[in-house]
Amino acid sequence: MIGTAHEREQDLFELYPVWKNDTQWAWFRKNCERFADRVFLIDEEKSYTYGDMLELTGRVSKGFYACGIRPGTAAAVSLTNRKELVASVFALSRLGCMTVMVNTKIADSERDYILKKTDTEFLITERPSMWTKQILVTEDEKQDSEQGVRWRQMLERSVNVPEETLEEVEHKTRDPERTSTIIFTSGSTSRPKGVMLTDNMLLRSSFATANTRHMEIGRRIYVPIPFYHAMGYVEAMLTAVMVGGSVVISRKKYTPREHLLRMQKYEVNDIVCISSVMIRMMMLPMLHNMQFPNMHAAYWAGACPAWVWEKARSIFDIQDCGNGYGMTECGSTSNVIGSCDPREYAPICHGKIKTAGTAAYPEGSGSILSMKIVSDDGRTECAPGECGEILMKGIAVAKGYYNDPEATARLINADGWMHSGDLGKIDEEGYLTFLGRKDDMFKVNGENVSPKYVEDVLLQHENVRYAEVVGIPHETCGEAGAAFIEFFEEYDDAVSELQEYIKEKLAGFQQPYTIFSMQPAEWPKTVTGKVSKMELKKMALDKKEKQSVV
């Protein structure tokens, strides 16, 4: 039995009556000892208990040390979701290193930029490179690298390092306020920026997620998103550690059908994913013949039509479906729809500031962040319901961007408020509604248009499965909206019917100038799996140019 939300919250409080400010490694080791016999990781088809992972991480930390990794070393981890990634990040924490999380999907040129930007000395990877020092994780004995060592060889070297040596290193480097982890933000409009994160902010954020979502001890979470991004790292992996839970991961890309079958097979209680994963799963006809008796929660982030929320609740037979808002710069999520929030809020807003329980800072404040909405001047606070930029402040705000003082100065003002670059509004009850990026806004005849608002209106149409809106140059209006639509049913009048609907629901300047029909496979994606608005703009301009030529 999972108990009521209040009972689960009380269980978490009894587990952590007082917050212990410590490192990721210290928290991991403590909970590995506490939950030694519980399954922590299901990597492909193999299960590993907390005890198993503690033993592996101990060997890895010694092996890394034997290979020359020392306190203060910048070590990059470029791995798909697998036990070696989990062991690596906690081993590097133990050694007092700066862990640089690197997206496995990016091009070699971007990876090299990140490694040079962070002064990386060691690269732990599945994809060999010419980097000076690397540890190659592969099962292919034929694959070799001119430099570095294989994972197996690294583990063999661990026997040469006594436990006392590691304990001494751990004691000297145990600083939860140092920059322990760097996660790079998307480089869709510029070079990617490395967000400097501390153990303290990451652990408090993950605890606040567990507290707000009322996680029970031992929750099993399905995670079809990568750990090298903040959402997978904090909302799934670290949060599972907090509650002695399990994460079900995979190294390869599964189809929506395969995701559902794995969720059944491993009897998961929860899923943490992005909206595109949930949308594709909910589109499958086979869903109606499937049952998920162990599911009682789901969380996904990103634009999502209302029909998906209702169908997910119905298919999984659950009430606890939530979304949220956040960014790497605030330690992942700042706001979350909790299990006790009204169910009708999930499709239309992004929750309240997370309740942090014993992790709150200052103690007794109830949270780890403050939030406000400000007008265009960047200072004047907006009234409830008014749109403006989202600003955040608190212990969960990052130190800034690594080796980039100018970008850091733009991010955090003199009063310590972090400028998100996002637009939103907060109602009188404290619920945030995210309204899109400031950079995504466009002007039609001088009037500001929020693509997110237009998309939400489009998604209310019964034949619209998915919608994205971008602004493109227009000869007379300055800019105009271009809407990309994935319909439930494609027929001759689908676009014209949607245009009539738009005329009733949107002001003239908000109405898209043109509508393009899309098939599921046509959506351009970023490396994080989100739809790329930059590519949509290029597509819209290309289509417009071809039309003018004709």
Side-chain angles (χ1 to χ4, degrees):
M1 294 293 290
I2 63 170
T4 65
H6 175 74
E7 289 170 339
R8 285 176 271 158
E9 189 173 12
Q10 186 61 32
D11 287 343
L12 198 59
F13 174 77
E14 291 176 2
L15 202 59
Y16 307 105
V18 178
W19 181 258
K20 175 65 174 176
N21 192 15
D22 219 328
T23 64
Q24 292 182 65
W25 158 251
W27 273 81
F28 179 67
R29 179 174 60 182
K30 175 177 63 179
N31 278 1
C32 281
E33 293 168 349
R34 175 184 280 158
F35 303 113
D37 296 329
R38 288 181 180 269
V39 172
F40 168 53
L41 191 68
I42 299 177
D43 180 0
E44 296 297 350
E45 305 303 320
K46 294 183 179 180
S47 297
Y48 301 88
T49 66
Y50 276 85
D52 293 334
M53 289 305 299
L54 181 60
E55 189 274 335
L56 175 61
T57 304
R59 291 179 64 200
V60 172
S61 60
K62 292 178 182 180
F64 282 178
Y65 191 86
C67 289
I69 298 179
R70 295 291 187 269
T73 297
V77 178
S78 181
L79 298 172
T80 52
N81 285 6
R82 56 192 301 158
K83 68 180 188 299
E84 290 88 353
L85 181 153
V86 177
S88 292
V89 296
F90 288 118
L92 291 171
S93 174
R94 185 184 191 188
L95 292 171
C97 298
M98 184 176 75
T99 303
V100 182
M101 303 299 288
V102 181
N103 191 325
T104 60
K105 298 178 183 178
I106 58 177
D108 288 346
S109 58
E110 187 172 355
R111 182 175 69 171
D112 288 345
Y113 168 82
I114 289 172
L115 298 180
K116 291 174 182 177
K117 181 78 172 178
T118 54
D119 302 313
T120 289
E121 295 180 49
F122 279 83
L123 171 63
I124 303 155
T125 183
E126 297 158 323
R127 194 172 86 204
S129 75
M130 296 303 293
W131 204 250
T132 306
K133 301 173 183 177
Q134 61 183 304
I135 296 171
L136 183 61
V137 181
T138 177
E139 288 81 29
D140 184 1
E141 290 298 323
K142 295 181 180 180
Q143 189 176 22
D144 205 352
S145 173
E146 295 181 3
Q147 299 164 314
V149 299
R150 291 178 178 278
W151 183 265
R152 171 180 49 78
Q153 295 169 325
M154 177 274 296
L155 290 178
E156 290 171 353
R157 296 183 186 183
S158 68
V159 298
N160 299 319
V161 180
E163 180 66 21
E164 294 76 14
T165 300
L166 268 295
E167 289 179 355
E168 184 178 351
V169 168
E170 179 186 340
H171 176 72
K172 290 181 178 179
T173 62
R174 201 165 176 172
D175 179 11
E177 300 299 341
R178 69 180 181 86
T179 298
S180 63
T181 307
I182 293 184
I183 297 179
F184 274 77
T185 59
S186 173
S188 59
T189 57
S190 62
R191 284 287 196 180
K193 297 185 287 291
V195 183
M196 298 188 291
L197 306 166
T198 69
D199 287 340
N200 189 25
M201 65 179 290
L202 290 169
L203 292 167
R204 287 181 190 264
S205 183
S206 62
F207 183 90
T209 292
N211 188 71
T212 305
R213 296 193 64 209
H214 298 105
M215 287 192 172
E216 72 283 4
I217 308 303
R219 177 174 291 197
R220 180 167 291 185
I221 308 170
Y222 188 67
V223 193
I225 55 175
F227 286 156
Y228 50 70
H229 289 306
M231 184 178 177
Y233 192 94
V234 177
E235 304 303 309
M237 187 180 77
L238 286 183
T239 300
V241 172
M242 289 288 169
V243 298
S246 311
V247 285
V248 180
I249 62 174
S250 60
R251 305 171 194 179
K252 68 178 186 178
K253 184 178 181 179
Y254 282 107
T255 65
R257 177 179 181 274
E258 289 171 326
H259 282 317
L260 290 164
L261 291 174
R262 296 190 83 227
M263 290 169 67
Q264 281 188 322
K265 178 179 179 179
Y266 294 112
E267 301 179 337
V268 299
N269 312 125
D270 188 8
I271 179 173
V272 173
C273 65
I274 56 177
S275 60
S276 59
V277 172
M278 186 61 67
I279 291 170
R280 299 306 171 199
M281 288 196 300
M282 292 301 105
M283 288 167 56
L284 295 178
M286 64 179 285
L287 269 175
H288 296 286
N289 299 318
M290 302 182 74
Q291 292 185 333
F292 301 85
N294 299 286
M295 284 283 289
H296 58 79
Y299 174 89
W300 63 90
C304 195
W307 68 266
V308 177
W309 295 96
E310 293 307 315
K311 191 164 185 179
R313 290 190 181 101
S314 173
I315 294 297
F316 296 138
D317 191 25
I318 58 177
Q319 296 295 316
D320 185 8
C321 282
N323 71 351
Y325 165 81
M327 53 197 307
T328 306
E329 289 85 342
C330 67
S332 190
T333 54
S334 58
N335 296 58
V336 168
I337 290 281
S339 59
C340 295
D341 289 316
R343 59 178 288 173
E344 64 269 18
Y345 280 24
I348 61 174
C349 74
H350 298 81
K352 295 182 178 181
I353 289 286
K354 291 191 296 190
T355 56
T358 53
Y361 187 87
E363 187 175 341
S365 65
S367 65
I368 52 176
L369 282 170
S370 298
M371 177 177 286
K372 65 180 179 180
I373 308 295
V374 298
S375 60
D376 289 343
D377 64 14
R379 298 183 301 274
T380 306
E381 192 163 354
C382 295
E386 288 184 350
C387 174
E389 185 183 5
I390 301 170
L391 270 59
M392 286 176 273
K393 186 177 185 179
I395 200 167
V397 169
K399 292 182 176 182
Y401 298 117
Y402 188 81
N403 200 19
D404 198 338
E406 293 183 2
T408 298
R410 292 193 296 270
L411 177 72
I412 303 171
N413 67 25
D415 296 324
W417 285 96
M418 184 192 80
H419 287 256
S420 69
D422 290 334
L423 296 172
K425 59 182 180 180
I426 299 176
D427 67 17
E428 294 181 349
E429 295 181 349
Y431 287 95
L432 170 74
T433 299
F434 168 64
L435 297 172
R437 293 287 298 168
K438 286 178 68 176
D439 293 343
D440 290 339
M441 294 283 286
F442 58 93
K443 286 191 174 184
V444 177
N445 289 325
E447 297 280 0
N448 285 323
V449 177
S450 164
K452 179 69 168 55
Y453 177 79
V454 178
E455 289 161 4
D456 287 343
V457 172
L458 291 170
L459 288 169
Q460 294 171 21
H461 189 276
E462 61 183 11
N463 195 33
V464 174
R465 174 178 282 143
Y466 193 73
E468 291 279 353
V469 174
V470 296
I472 58 174
H474 188 273
E475 295 79 4
T476 59
C477 302
E479 290 180 290
F484 291 80
I485 306 294
E486 183 179 323
F487 292 104
F488 279 105
E489 292 184 46
E490 288 275 8
Y491 48 86
D492 292 342
D493 295 330
V495 171
S496 59
E497 286 181 3
L498 182 60
Q499 289 172 329
E500 290 301 314
Y501 166 83
I502 289 171
K503 291 178 182 178
E504 297 178 3
K505 301 292 183 178
L506 294 169
F509 68 91
Q510 294 173 324
Q511 295 171 20
Y513 172 76
T514 186
I515 295 175
F516 301 112
S517 178
M518 299 284 283
Q519 296 300 313
E522 293 179 318
W523 292 103
K525 300 290 183 66
T526 67
V527 291
T528 64
K530 298 178 181 178
V531 172
S532 169
K533 284 190 178 286
M534 177 181 289
E535 291 302 317
L536 288 180
K537 286 185 179 182
K538 292 179 181 178
M539 289 171 63
L541 290 171
D542 184 54
K543 290 176 181 290
K544 180 182 176 184
E545 184 176 341
K546 289 179 179 178
Q547 289 173 353
S548 62
V549 170
V550 174

